[in-house]
Amino acid sequence: MSIHKLQVEAIQQGTVIDHIPAGNGLKIINRLQLLNSDVRLTVGLNLPSGEMGCKDLIKVDQWRFTQDEAAELALFAPNATINVINDYKVVDKFRMSQPEELNGLFDCPNHNCITHNEPVDTKFYVRNSGADMKLRCHYCERSFSSALFG
Amino acid sequence: MLSSSAPVFSGKHLVSVSDLTADSIQRVIDIAIQLKSSPRPTLLQNKVIASCFFEASTRTRLSFETAVQRLGGSLIGFADAGNTSMGKKGETLSDSIQMISRYADAIIMRHPQEGAARLASEISSVPVINGGDGANQHPTQTLLDLFTIYEARGSLEGVKVAFVGDLKYGRTVHSLAQALALFGAKYYFVAPDALAMPDYIQEELLEAGVQFECVDNLEDVIPLVDILYMTRVQKERFDPTEYMHIASKYVLTAAMLKNAPEHLKVLHPLPRVDEIDVSVDKTPHAFYFQQAENGVYARQALLALTLCPNLDKQLLTSREGGQA
């Protein structure tokens, strides 16, 4: 019996989001479920990691992320790794990178922003990185800490 | 002086101070100076301007509408949203702008919600000029302030400005501070803690390399500055006792100006309540009514630059002695 047993079940097709800072996995799960409430997820929280000490990991069944889809999630895990899986094998691998813009993903925290009353997608420009990351609304021009969007 | 004759405003929207550059500000000032001394009563002949005030306004609406009429343009529009399809029938702003932009050559708009002008600019087929969107932007107030400072000093470079009063909620001080950052200005912020300049504006100014200080005592900065920019402390933000205490610290009187530099000018976006004593009106430092008047010239200049593609070139040629 192998001692290198996988701590979360392997998937045949889909995406593995690895190296998520421990604690941020739940934010990504919330986001994924908003995007697709039927998505099948396998989750590992606080897994041991040589590099990070502790990490979260999410396997997304039957959904192969594009670079753009991964960029949306980078808000919560800017340095996570995306592994695209086909027939149990990694066919593409890339790091999440911080997006320059986020379109139509979140409501503006400013309740008097016009986006709450008009048929228009929100749009935010991403400024700074890490804990200092701020999102500036294209319409009302206010800047908000990214923590407000988690 | 104009740095080039290529149009910078023609056919474009003005939504935010962030849409302005040092060059474009200087163009508005140059044209405003020209129009103040030499009226051009036919410049907007045959142009129809929609004046859409979804929220009440006195100075901004009247000065815009005066500006259009002084240039020979025609006006359509409304002074509040109550009697429009938006107010009565629930039409969206997006649909209203779609429709109005098919009637008019430009839209001047004020709206109570932040971001309304940006959204309108993305829908409209004609230029949108923001006359104020909620607590966000009021770029033509900034242009008239800049024109007034230029008129008072002959330059915007290195101007020293004390901003006094409500620096937290006052969009005029935010926008002016952002715009003057393009000209190497230095600022003194004189405000109670509860109405201090917001952190995000201070961060932007630091990023832009602007020098500024927060100062407690108004009289301490009077000898140091070229411009004293007064604002109204809004009563409704404080309980009555607190308001009386705070407001009394930020009232300018003629006696306080005894150590002012001769060239110092006092500005105020108006309306004033108690923060500038009427005794100041008779001093040579009072400049707030000229500032209000300059709103007409600054807005004329912006409208003309937006709707007359060759205006930059014509005025430049005229200045150099050629045919306008």
Side-chain angles (χ1 to χ4, degrees):
Chain A
M1 190 175 177
S2 169
I3 55 169
H4 299 292
K5 191 174 177 219
L6 285 172
Q7 290 184 284
V8 286
E9 188 185 345
I11 55 173
Q12 186 187 12
Q13 297 272 352
T15 303
V16 177
I17 312 171
D18 199 0
H19 301 110
I20 302 166
N24 284 9
L26 289 174
K27 292 179 183 174
I28 293 184
I29 292 165
N30 281 338
R31 186 71 213 152
L32 290 171
Q33 288 186 320
L34 280 174
L35 293 172
N36 178 359
S37 57
D38 296 328
V39 66
R40 186 182 302 162
L41 303 172
T42 313
V43 179
L45 301 178
N46 292 322
L47 302 178
S49 162
E51 219 176 287
M52 304 171 70
C54 237
K55 68 176 182 181
D56 293 346
L57 178 145
I58 300 170
K59 297 191 175 189
V60 187
D61 203 21
Q62 303 297 326
W63 183 354
R64 294 168 64 172
F65 282 14
T66 62
Q67 294 264 6
D68 285 346
E69 286 168 332
E72 291 178 10
L73 300 172
L75 188 64
F76 310 110
N79 296 312
T81 315
I82 300 285
N83 299 284
V84 181
I85 309 291
N86 186 28
D87 197 19
Y88 298 102
K89 291 195 181 90
V90 176
V91 293
D92 193 10
K93 182 170 185 167
F94 51 90
R95 263 187 192 274
M96 283 193 186
S97 59
Q98 186 174 300
E100 291 182 1
E101 287 179 22
L102 294 167
N103 296 308
L105 293 175
F106 309 102
D107 288 343
C108 182
N110 171 14
H111 294 298
N112 201 39
C113 179
I114 193 70
T115 52
H116 293 288
N117 298 90
E118 292 288 319
V120 62
D121 278 348
T122 57
K123 178 173 176 178
F124 294 93
Y125 301 108
V126 181
R127 299 179 65 192
N128 305 336
S129 59
D132 287 337
M133 191 188 288
K134 295 238 166 78
L135 302 187
R136 181 179 164 91
C137 175
H138 167 70
Y139 291 98
C140 73
E141 304 193 15
R142 293 209 187 163
S143 289
F144 305 97
S145 161
S146 60
L148 280 175
F149 297 83
Chain B
M1 290 291 291
L2 300 176
S3 61
S4 85
S5 58
V8 292
F9 285 104
S10 178
K12 293 184 182 160
H13 311 288
L14 178 61
V15 171
S16 168
V17 166
S18 62
D19 298 337
L20 296 170
T21 62
D23 175 57
S24 63
I25 289 166
Q26 191 60 53
R27 282 169 193 247
V28 172
I29 291 171
D30 286 349
I31 304 294
I33 291 168
Q34 294 270 337
L35 290 170
K36 192 168 182 176
S37 61
S38 311
R40 300 279 298 267
T42 59
L43 216 45
L44 294 189
Q45 207 168 35
N46 302 322
K47 300 286 186 194
V48 176
I49 314 299
S51 169
C52 302
F53 280 71
F54 298 93
E55 181 184 58
S57 155
T58 305
R59 269 159 300 281
T60 304
R61 185 172 65 83
L62 293 181
S63 73
F64 257 125
E65 294 185 358
T66 305
V68 171
Q69 300 202 34
R70 294 262 186 234
L71 294 173
S74 309
L75 280 159
I76 58 170
F78 46 88
D80 70 74
N83 288 322
T84 66
S85 292
M86 280 189 79
K88 295 265 188 196
K89 301 173 186 171
E91 184 177 49
T92 62
L93 174 67
S94 305
D95 281 3
S96 298
I97 295 295
Q98 278 277 8
M99 184 242 338
I100 296 164
S101 71
R102 284 164 162 77
Y103 298 161
D105 296 299
I107 298 172
I108 298 158
M109 68 176 280
R110 169 170 285 194
H111 195 280
Q113 285 187 281
E114 289 102 49
R118 180 68 68 196
L119 175 64
S121 74
E122 292 172 350
I123 290 162
S124 173
S125 55
V126 298
V128 170
I129 296 175
N130 185 6
D133 59 325
N136 183 31
Q137 286 284 328
H138 193 1
T140 61
Q141 175 71 43
T142 307
L143 287 173
L144 80 88
D145 289 343
L146 293 166
F147 172 43
T148 305
I149 294 169
Y150 185 92
E151 194 176 48
R153 289 183 76 239
S155 167
L156 296 175
E157 296 296 332
V159 64
K160 297 187 185 75
V161 184
F163 293 99
V164 184
D166 179 357
L167 310 188
K168 183 174 181 182
Y169 299 103
R171 63 186 173 193
T172 58
V173 293
H174 302 166
S175 299
L176 183 58
Q178 288 165 322
L180 277 174
L182 299 168
F183 298 92
K186 176 166 185 181
Y187 305 140
Y188 299 90
F189 298 141
V190 190
D193 287 345
L195 297 176
M197 189 64 98
D199 289 346
Y200 76 93
I201 299 279
Q202 294 195 36
E203 283 166 19
E204 277 185 36
L205 295 175
L206 284 172
E207 279 174 27
V210 176
Q211 292 181 52
F212 61 85
E213 287 177 42
C214 299
V215 180
D216 280 337
N217 190 338
L218 171 57
E219 282 186 83
D220 290 348
V221 300
I222 289 175
L224 307 176
V225 298
D226 307 306
I227 300 291
L228 205 50
Y229 197 99
M230 303 293 296
T231 63
R232 184 166 57 94
V233 174
Q234 296 177 52
K235 240 180 206 171
E236 60 272 24
R237 301 201 187 278
F238 300 92
D239 70 51
T241 316
E242 196 182 9
Y243 171 75
M244 283 181 61
H245 173 68
I246 285 177
S248 66
K249 276 185 74 181
Y250 301 95
V251 173
L252 183 69
T253 63
M256 292 164 74
L257 290 165
K258 64 181 184 296
N259 293 323
E262 203 176 317
H263 66 274
L264 178 143
K265 297 295 181 200
V266 179
L267 304 187
H268 190 301
L270 304 181
R272 70 169 157 178
V273 182
D274 302 318
E275 58 280 1
I276 301 178
D277 187 82
V278 289
S279 63
V280 178
D281 296 1
K282 296 188 180 71
T283 72
H285 303 293
F287 217 55
Y288 25 90
F289 293 118
Q290 288 95 323
Q291 179 189 6
E293 179 190 341
N294 280 344
V296 175
Y297 301 111
R299 289 175 174 123
Q300 279 188 58
L302 176 64
L303 285 161
L305 283 163
T306 303
L307 291 167
C308 307
N310 294 320
L311 188 63
D312 286 347
K313 206 170 179 178
Q314 284 176 7
L315 287 174
L316 191 62
T317 310
S318 165
R319 185 179 299 163
E320 288 168 351
Q323 288 292 309

